[in-house]
Amino acid sequence: MSGLRRRLTEDADGDDPLLSVVNLIDVFLVLIAALLLAVAKNPLNPFTDERVTVVRNPGTPGMEVVVKEGRKIEHFRGDGASQSAAGGVRAGSAYRMPDGGLVYVPE
């Protein structure tokens, strides 16, 4: 019987395969927390109702302006100079109103 008891205590001190699974769960919890922080710090976070304007590649022909107001997101790409050089024509005029809105008047 003493050999059986010694064998049981030796197995308890050995490597348990479930310990590695617990370690993997801890790693995934840390990864999920890091991803949640990244989403929360993103200016275009879908869970906020703020007005946010993001300009990508400013001053270049590939410039993009992203405006988020509440849950509505609008994208504006390029500038007028690069489009007219590519053969585009003027299609109208836009006027900014005192309340900040834009009015497009076709020609």
PDB file of all heavy atoms in Angstrom, residues 91-95 102-107:
ATOM      1  N   ALA A  91     -19.984  70.852 -62.174  1.00  0.00           N
ATOM      2  CA  ALA A  91     -21.380  70.453 -62.261  1.00  0.00           C
ATOM      3  C   ALA A  91     -22.300  71.360 -61.456  1.00  0.00           C
ATOM      4  O   ALA A  91     -23.502  71.200 -61.500  1.00  0.00           O
ATOM      5  CB  ALA A  91     -21.545  69.023 -61.771  1.00  0.00           C
ATOM      6  N   GLY A  92     -21.762  72.310 -60.711  1.00  0.00           N
ATOM      7  CA  GLY A  92     -22.602  73.200 -59.921  1.00  0.00           C
ATOM      8  C   GLY A  92     -21.798  73.892 -58.840  1.00  0.00           C
ATOM      9  O   GLY A  92     -20.572  73.879 -58.862  1.00  0.00           O
ATOM     10  N   SER A  93     -22.499  74.520 -57.913  1.00  0.00           N
ATOM     11  CA  SER A  93     -21.863  75.244 -56.819  1.00  0.00           C
ATOM     12  C   SER A  93     -22.457  74.778 -55.499  1.00  0.00           C
ATOM     13  O   SER A  93     -23.626  74.410 -55.423  1.00  0.00           O
ATOM     14  CB  SER A  93     -22.096  76.748 -56.963  1.00  0.00           C
ATOM     15  OG  SER A  93     -21.580  77.207 -58.185  1.00  0.00           O
ATOM     16  N   ALA A  94     -21.644  74.842 -54.464  1.00  0.00           N
ATOM     17  CA  ALA A  94     -22.109  74.499 -53.121  1.00  0.00           C
ATOM     18  C   ALA A  94     -21.957  75.731 -52.238  1.00  0.00           C
ATOM     19  O   ALA A  94     -20.966  76.452 -52.323  1.00  0.00           O
ATOM     20  CB  ALA A  94     -21.317  73.336 -52.555  1.00  0.00           C
ATOM     21  N   TYR A  95     -22.955  76.002 -51.419  1.00  0.00           N
ATOM     22  CA  TYR A  95     -22.950  77.151 -50.524  1.00  0.00           C
ATOM     23  C   TYR A  95     -23.146  76.663 -49.093  1.00  0.00           C
ATOM     24  O   TYR A  95     -23.996  75.827 -48.828  1.00  0.00           O
ATOM     25  CB  TYR A  95     -24.076  78.130 -50.888  1.00  0.00           C
ATOM     26  CG  TYR A  95     -23.924  78.705 -52.266  1.00  0.00           C
ATOM     27  CD1 TYR A  95     -24.577  78.130 -53.353  1.00  0.00           C
ATOM     28  CD2 TYR A  95     -23.114  79.807 -52.494  1.00  0.00           C
ATOM     29  CE1 TYR A  95     -24.442  78.650 -54.618  1.00  0.00           C
ATOM     30  CE2 TYR A  95     -22.970  80.330 -53.761  1.00  0.00           C
ATOM     31  CZ  TYR A  95     -23.636  79.755 -54.824  1.00  0.00           C
ATOM     32  OH  TYR A  95     -23.492  80.261 -56.079  1.00  0.00           O
ATOM     33  N   LEU A 102     -24.826  72.546 -46.017  1.00  0.00           N
ATOM     34  CA  LEU A 102     -24.387  72.844 -47.372  1.00  0.00           C
ATOM     35  C   LEU A 102     -25.570  72.706 -48.328  1.00  0.00           C
ATOM     36  O   LEU A 102     -26.384  71.801 -48.193  1.00  0.00           O
ATOM     37  CB  LEU A 102     -23.292  71.876 -47.807  1.00  0.00           C
ATOM     38  CG  LEU A 102     -21.927  72.055 -47.134  1.00  0.00           C
ATOM     39  CD1 LEU A 102     -20.994  70.950 -47.571  1.00  0.00           C
ATOM     40  CD2 LEU A 102     -21.340  73.387 -47.449  1.00  0.00           C
ATOM     41  N   VAL A 103     -25.641  73.650 -49.296  1.00  0.00           N
ATOM     42  CA  VAL A 103     -26.679  73.613 -50.319  1.00  0.00           C
ATOM     43  C   VAL A 103     -25.987  73.504 -51.664  1.00  0.00           C
ATOM     44  O   VAL A 103     -25.099  74.307 -51.983  1.00  0.00           O
ATOM     45  CB  VAL A 103     -27.570  74.876 -50.269  1.00  0.00           C
ATOM     46  CG1 VAL A 103     -28.564  74.854 -51.409  1.00  0.00           C
ATOM     47  CG2 VAL A 103     -28.272  74.984 -48.945  1.00  0.00           C
ATOM     48  N   TYR A 104     -26.366  72.499 -52.453  1.00  0.00           N
ATOM     49  CA  TYR A 104     -25.792  72.291 -53.786  1.00  0.00           C
ATOM     50  C   TYR A 104     -26.758  72.852 -54.822  1.00  0.00           C
ATOM     51  O   TYR A 104     -27.943  72.520 -54.817  1.00  0.00           O
ATOM     52  CB  TYR A 104     -25.549  70.805 -54.029  1.00  0.00           C
ATOM     53  CG  TYR A 104     -25.163  70.493 -55.441  1.00  0.00           C
ATOM     54  CD1 TYR A 104     -23.909  70.818 -55.922  1.00  0.00           C
ATOM     55  CD2 TYR A 104     -26.056  69.848 -56.298  1.00  0.00           C
ATOM     56  CE1 TYR A 104     -23.556  70.532 -57.218  1.00  0.00           C
ATOM     57  CE2 TYR A 104     -25.698  69.567 -57.594  1.00  0.00           C
ATOM     58  CZ  TYR A 104     -24.455  69.915 -58.056  1.00  0.00           C
ATOM     59  OH  TYR A 104     -24.107  69.636 -59.349  1.00  0.00           O
ATOM     60  N   VAL A 105     -26.227  73.694 -55.722  1.00  0.00           N
ATOM     61  CA  VAL A 105     -27.032  74.288 -56.781  1.00  0.00           C
ATOM     62  C   VAL A 105     -26.435  73.830 -58.123  1.00  0.00           C
ATOM     63  O   VAL A 105     -25.331  74.244 -58.488  1.00  0.00           O
ATOM     64  CB  VAL A 105     -27.024  75.835 -56.713  1.00  0.00           C
ATOM     65  CG1 VAL A 105     -27.849  76.425 -57.827  1.00  0.00           C
ATOM     66  CG2 VAL A 105     -27.497  76.301 -55.348  1.00  0.00           C
ATOM     67  N   PRO A 106     -27.148  72.955 -58.855  1.00  0.00           N
ATOM     68  CA  PRO A 106     -26.626  72.505 -60.154  1.00  0.00           C
ATOM     69  C   PRO A 106     -26.706  73.623 -61.175  1.00  0.00           C
ATOM     70  O   PRO A 106     -27.557  74.492 -61.089  1.00  0.00           O
ATOM     71  CB  PRO A 106     -27.542  71.335 -60.518  1.00  0.00           C
ATOM     72  CG  PRO A 106     -28.743  71.477 -59.674  1.00  0.00           C
ATOM     73  CD  PRO A 106     -28.394  72.306 -58.482  1.00  0.00           C
ATOM     74  N   GLU A 107     -25.797  73.582 -62.141  1.00  0.00           N
ATOM     75  CA  GLU A 107     -25.782  74.618 -63.202  1.00  0.00           C
ATOM     76  C   GLU A 107     -26.599  74.200 -64.383  1.00  0.00           C
ATOM     77  O   GLU A 107     -26.757  73.080 -64.740  1.00  0.00           O
ATOM     78  CB  GLU A 107     -24.343  74.884 -63.637  1.00  0.00           C
ATOM     79  CG  GLU A 107     -23.547  75.549 -62.542  1.00  0.00           C
ATOM     80  CD  GLU A 107     -22.108  75.817 -62.987  1.00  0.00           C
ATOM     81  OE1 GLU A 107     -21.653  75.280 -64.009  1.00  0.00           O
ATOM     82  OE2 GLU A 107     -21.452  76.566 -62.288  1.00  0.00           O
TER      83      GLU A 107
END
